[in-house]
Amino acid sequence: MAMADNYLEKRMEDYRRGGGGRTMVRLKSGGGVRFLIFAEFDGRIETIAERLQKGGCRVAFTDVDNRRGSSFAQRSGCLFIPVGGYDGDAAAFALKTMAERWGGADFIIAGSPACEDFIPAAVADGDAVVLSL
């Protein structure tokens, strides 16, 4: 877990310094950096979401289990986006929900490298940086 935390902290530092060779992301006013965690919900995702939220970021996460997702959203203040699975349609739905609620996502944390195959196609404006767990 510490490796994932260090990775996210380093990515945020790079982002704040000017991207570290990455494309800069336009931040929308009205809140912190917007994260979408597109991954099967588990303890690892819960920890990442809580730490990002406590750090002032706006965090949305997906899950196929409505009861578990709703419960965590109520406890944490994160936005729960229920999905029926983890595919291109679910990614498009999650990103559409983010756009409607918060004007989009700055970072997308993908639960597996396989997600990177369809997430970029779902990101219409190309503003979000995709990170893989």
Side-chain angles (χ1 to χ4, degrees):
M1 187 64 223
M3 287 179 61
D5 292 340
N6 291 339
Y7 176 79
L8 289 174
E9 288 172 16
K10 182 175 180 344
R11 299 294 344 133
M12 286 298 295
E13 287 172 16
D14 288 346
Y15 174 75
R16 289 183 184 119
R17 280 194 307 262
R22 300 269 190 199
T23 303
M24 285 300 296
V25 177
R26 279 184 289 120
L27 292 180
K28 313 298 189 262
S29 61
V33 177
R34 301 158 304 172
F35 279 85
L36 169 61
I37 303 175
F38 188 78
E40 188 170 340
F41 191 80
D42 58 19
R44 170 183 65 149
I45 300 303
E46 183 173 341
T47 300
I48 292 169
E50 287 174 336
R51 288 185 182 183
L52 289 170
Q53 180 84 357
K54 286 178 184 174
C57 299
R58 291 186 283 173
V59 180
F61 69 97
T62 59
D63 196 8
V64 295
D65 184 331
N66 287 340
R67 182 177 299 174
R68 178 175 57 193
S70 295
S71 175
F72 178 71
Q74 289 173 357
R75 286 192 323 271
S76 68
C78 296
L79 173 64
F80 168 51
I81 302 173
V83 293
Y86 295 97
D87 58 17
D89 291 339
F93 173 75
L95 288 164
K96 179 178 181 257
T97 302
M98 291 278 299
E100 290 169 353
R101 291 304 247 343
W102 296 339
D106 298 309
F107 291 91
I108 300 168
I109 300 175
S112 74
C115 292
E116 291 184 13
D117 292 339
F118 54 79
I119 286 180
V123 180
D125 59 12
D127 278 352
V129 175
V130 179
L131 307 171
S132 203
L133 289 178

